[in-house]
Amino acid sequence: THLSNRRAFIERSEFEFQRAMRTPGSPLSCIMLDIDHFKHINDTHGHPAGDAVLVQIARILMDGARPYDEVGRYGGEEFVILLPATPLDQAGRVAERLRSQIEAGRINTNGTTLQVTASLGVAACHPAKDTNSINDLLQAADTALYQAKRGGRNRAVIATR
């Protein structure tokens, strides 16, 4: 995917988190994304098809990122984007745009055309509301992601913390 792995993402994100905490009024948001029904893709179409999906999603995320955003692969079919200087409402719009692009995309593999969707969780730093580390920010985005999945998938949910 040519993206940062989880460890590298967290290391780089820690720097941005500390900068946001030192700079009043400097928002920092995070989007966590999970490909819907990814296991089914692998089980039905094989792991090469799953790999093609991962590469396509990574490309969409990188194309949609600014040069100073950090995009990483967080786990199997989970991705994460750190958005410095981005308030929560704007991050929500970015998440919805990415969700829509993923849904509209088509992946051709082994003579089959796949359409995938993703669920996204969006959160922002709120030092007064117990966001004291990059892990707190990631946890808030992850909680919103699971709300998106429980709400029917293929949606972006903004954390209400």
Side-chain angles (χ1 to χ4, degrees):
T1 62
H2 300 289
L3 300 179
S4 299
N5 65 20
R6 181 181 185 145
R7 182 174 161 208
F9 175 86
I10 290 173
E11 287 174 3
R12 292 178 185 151
S13 297
E14 185 62 40
F15 173 80
E16 289 297 336
F17 182 85
Q18 293 303 324
R19 180 172 26 189
M21 295 300 102
R22 284 190 314 269
T23 310
S26 178
L28 179 66
S29 294
C30 179
I31 300 171
M32 190 167 287
L33 176 151
D34 188 79
I35 301 168
D36 295 331
H37 306 293
F38 187 72
K39 183 178 179 342
H40 177 74
I41 294 166
N42 277 335
D43 291 349
T44 304
H45 303 284
H47 289 279
D51 291 346
V53 168
L54 294 172
V55 168
Q56 174 74 9
I57 300 294
R59 186 174 299 123
I60 289 169
L61 298 180
M62 287 301 294
D63 289 348
R66 302 166 298 185
Y68 51 88
D69 293 338
E70 182 66 32
V71 181
R73 186 156 169 214
Y74 200 66
E77 69 272 13
E78 281 188 322
F79 296 85
V80 66
I81 307 165
L82 192 72
L83 303 162
T86 307
L88 185 60
D89 61 333
Q90 184 179 346
R93 289 190 298 274
V94 170
E96 181 54 32
R97 179 176 42 82
L98 293 171
R99 186 210 59 76
S100 179
Q101 289 174 341
I102 290 167
E103 182 182 30
R106 300 295 181 269
I107 299 143
N108 296 311
T109 179
N110 297 331
T112 302
T113 300
L114 301 175
Q115 178 185 12
V116 298
T117 61
S119 298
L120 299 88
V122 186
C125 287
H126 296 288
K129 295 184 181 178
D130 297 328
T131 307
N132 299 310
S133 70
I134 193 62
N135 288 330
D136 291 342
L137 179 59
L138 291 168
Q139 181 60 48
D142 192 50
T143 298
L145 166 64
Y146 278 93
Q147 289 174 343
K149 288 193 164 292
R150 283 191 303 274
R153 300 181 193 265
N154 190 28
R155 65 190 67 225
V157 170
I158 296 176
T160 57
R161 230 198 224 232

